Amino acid sequence: MGDDLTLGGRDMSVAEAEEAIARGDHDGALRTLEPVLTDLSHAEFGSAVRIAAAIHAHRGTLNRSAELLRRASPESRGDVAAQGAVALIGVGDIATAERLLASGPSGEATATSAGWKLATTGLIQSLHGDGVAGMPPLVQAVTALAPVGRDSILLESPGALAALMALHLGELDLAESVLQRATAAELGGPLFGLRHQLLLAWVAMARGDMAATAAILESAGPAPAHDTRDVYLMHAIRVGIARRASDTGALADAWAGARTAVAGMSVDLFHLLPLGELQVGAVRLQDEHWLAPQLQEAETVLAKLGKPALWSTAFHWYGVQAAIVSDRPDALIPHADAISEAARVSRHAQTLATAGHTWVRVLGRDIDASAVNRAVEGLSGIGLRWDASRLAAQAALHTTDRRVSLDLLNLARAAHSGDRSRSSSVPARSRTSQLTDREWEIARLVVQGIGYRDIGERLFISPRTVEHHVASVRRRLGSNSRTEMVETLRRLLVGSSTDDDP
């Protein structure tokens, strides 16, 4: 293709593709690049592969990016090799990733090549031992690429990768810090602005701060339809919010939106957290068969990479949670075994292994308050305050010792203190009516269709206590049936300020 038009020494096809991406026209960019991608000897072949691979990554098909980059290995130049290695590691192909890196330039002449070398070094180190050694290079990659990353078309943001690694380690402050740095530097340009915000929302959700999570989602706005990766992550966060609120209706709505995104996503190492969240949500709705192929592929990717402790532990913890929700001890065992195996090299996994063992005992009505305290403290220490409060609440509900139950409920409240979504506020006008604040709090949840057990877990009281409050509400309202009570409550709530609608 020696007769191709050029502009400033660059192929017109590549320049036009970059302009198309800037307009949000990813389909047009791929069409423009097609003639270059069919000619391995083309001078701009490496650049075309890098751009096309980035588009496929944003579309949630990192496997397609990896296919393109395998073809590019003999012609790799600059940061194509390093970015290609990221994609290949993401799909579990570590051998080809290392070969691709070896084929690239050995020098660090530019900030871009230096930054991507740090990023791939960090990713490779994250696959060994506890993976903690991979954090410094990735954080340094954010610093290296900050001055030049705004105008680059990236397959992935080093800021997002560093944050994901920190999230997998339970280092929420570090995840937030690196995302704020990436956001301030506009790392990755407009293509990654939303991704960084969604990961900040995930950090807030991991802390149990549902109000902040929802606020970040609201300010971020909708994800572009062509960016399946962000659509997928956004739906996973919505599922997580609804699940933690025990709001079955909202969970069903969020899951309905997620199903389409799931169908368009290939499985990769960098999306195990949202996959795990979706798994637990799907189990709650008894629709887990929809995710069976993706969960199996996730196991395959992890196995190809040698089951790295850093990346696999959180995935298996979600598997434990799904087994608990579905009341299937047999499904819990392989995930518990995988976490125990990772615990040999990882403190993070040790904490989860201890908590998982304690949780199994709680489900078997074997309540050791000291063990529950230690497990709750451990989970809270790695940022899993919501999980910690849920464990304590379940232990409180399962013990027959009233004193122990009260102590565990207080422990659950303390662990849950980071969740500011639990507001005790009720409609101002209703506070002067016949129901107490606690009765209004429970009444609002009943109107939303939430069951007594879920209300109890959310408010850290027993289902029997919820039942007593509901009976009191019914008497105070003079309702002859539960249906009549719910209808009366709905009218009262609709008549309240719109800000407090259920």
Side-chain angles (χ1 to χ4, degrees):
M1 288 197 169
D3 57 348
D4 282 340
L5 293 176
T6 61
L7 179 64
R10 301 202 61 202
D11 183 83
M12 283 290 290
S13 298
V14 173
E16 290 172 2
E18 291 174 339
E19 292 174 0
I21 290 175
R23 297 193 304 271
D25 183 8
H26 290 190
D27 287 342
L30 288 175
R31 285 194 299 270
T32 301
L33 292 173
E34 192 64 22
V36 183
L37 292 172
T38 57
D39 182 3
L40 273 67
S41 64
H42 196 288
E44 291 278 8
F45 180 78
S47 295
V49 165
R50 175 176 56 81
I51 295 170
I55 293 173
H56 287 297
H58 284 278
R59 290 183 163 191
T61 51
L62 196 63
N63 56 346
R64 178 67 180 127
S65 302
E67 290 172 7
L68 283 170
L69 290 153
R70 288 188 187 101
R71 295 179 61 215
S73 56
E75 294 81 19
S76 294
R77 294 292 186 271
D79 63 333
V80 174
Q83 289 202 56
V86 169
L88 291 160
I89 292 170
V91 299
D93 190 353
I94 185 66
T96 307
E98 290 176 340
R99 287 199 299 271
L100 188 60
L101 282 174
S103 73
S106 58
E108 298 183 7
T110 67
T112 300
S113 59
W116 279 108
K117 183 176 180 180
L118 284 166
T120 52
T121 297
L123 274 180
I124 291 173
Q125 290 179 347
S126 76
L127 304 177
H128 304 291
D130 62 4
V132 174
M135 276 302 315
L138 263 171
V139 173
Q140 293 164 26
V142 176
T143 301
L145 287 168
V148 296
R150 180 185 305 179
D151 301 320
S152 301
I153 297 174
L154 305 181
L155 181 146
E156 183 55 278
S157 158
L161 292 175
L164 284 170
M165 192 179 296
L167 281 166
H168 277 269
L169 289 169
E171 297 289 343
L172 303 187
D173 289 344
L174 177 57
E176 182 178 44
S177 174
V178 76
L179 285 168
Q180 289 174 341
R181 175 69 185 274
T183 299
E186 298 182 44
L187 188 57
L191 286 175
F192 281 96
L194 178 59
R195 184 162 176 78
H196 293 149
Q197 289 302 303
L198 293 177
L199 288 173
L200 280 169
W202 195 283
V203 172
M205 184 171 71
R207 285 185 172 133
D209 191 346
M210 297 300 105
T213 307
I216 293 172
L217 280 188
E218 179 69 23
S219 64
H226 59 72
D227 203 334
T228 304
R229 181 166 62 180
D230 285 350
V231 172
Y232 179 82
L233 182 55
M234 183 171 283
H235 281 303
I237 295 170
R238 287 175 175 154
V239 165
I241 293 173
R243 180 171 73 88
R244 287 161 177 77
S246 299
D247 188 338
T248 305
L251 179 60
D253 290 343
W255 171 241
R259 282 169 56 114
T260 301
V262 167
M265 280 282 296
S266 67
V267 176
D268 63 66
L269 188 67
F270 314 130
H271 290 85
L272 296 181
L273 289 178
L275 177 59
E277 188 62 54
L278 291 174
Q279 177 190 7
V280 182
V283 167
R284 287 288 296 268
L285 297 170
Q286 299 183 345
D287 199 20
E288 62 268 34
H289 68 282
W290 187 260
L291 285 176
Q294 285 78 13
L295 293 170
Q296 183 56 55
E297 182 59 25
E299 296 268 15
T300 300
V301 169
L302 288 169
K304 287 179 178 178
L305 295 171
K307 300 181 180 178
L310 184 148
W311 296 99
S312 64
T313 300
F315 172 75
H316 289 296
W317 178 250
Y318 273 115
V320 167
Q321 296 301 306
I324 290 171
V325 170
S326 62
D327 194 22
R328 289 185 54 202
D330 58 317
L332 186 151
I333 292 172
H335 294 291
D337 288 346
I339 294 174
S340 296
E341 181 66 24
R344 295 182 180 184
V345 297
S346 167
R347 279 189 175 185
H348 184 75
Q350 288 171 11
T351 299
L352 292 179
T354 299
H357 178 71
T358 303
W359 215 314
V360 170
R361 291 180 61 185
V362 166
L363 294 177
R365 305 300 196 273
D366 179 10
I367 310 300
D368 180 339
S370 296
V372 173
N373 265 278
R374 288 192 297 271
V376 167
E377 183 179 351
L379 289 172
S380 297
I382 58 174
L384 297 178
R385 286 201 292 249
W386 187 84
D387 289 26
S389 65
R390 185 163 171 257
L391 170 57
Q394 287 194 342
L397 296 178
H398 287 159
T399 184
T400 58
D401 187 318
R402 178 170 175 77
R403 183 181 294 276
V404 171
S405 178
L406 289 173
D407 288 344
L408 289 171
L409 284 173
N410 286 331
L411 178 65
R413 292 187 182 100
H416 204 270
S417 61
D419 184 351
R420 292 186 283 273
S421 68
R422 276 187 62 238
S423 172
S424 61
S425 64
V426 294
R429 188 171 62 186
S430 300
R431 288 189 177 213
T432 61
S433 67
Q434 61 265 54
L435 302 186
T436 67
D437 282 0
R438 175 60 99 179
E439 287 169 348
W440 266 115
E441 189 173 23
I442 291 173
R444 290 167 69 87
L445 298 174
V446 169
V447 169
Q448 293 175 35
I450 300 173
Y452 291 174
R453 185 176 184 82
D454 286 338
I455 292 174
E457 286 192 12
R458 182 171 180 178
L459 301 181
F460 309 113
I461 57 179
S462 72
R464 183 175 294 276
T465 300
V466 175
E467 187 176 353
H468 288 325
H469 279 300
V470 172
S472 176
V473 170
R474 181 175 165 183
R475 287 194 305 271
R476 289 174 185 271
L477 295 179
S479 302
N480 295 318
S481 66
R482 188 179 187 281
T483 301
E484 182 180 341
M485 176 194 71
V486 171
E487 287 303 316
T488 300
L489 289 169
R490 185 173 286 115
R491 287 195 300 272
L492 288 171
L493 290 166
V494 169
S496 306
S497 75
T498 55
D499 288 342
D500 287 307
D501 282 349

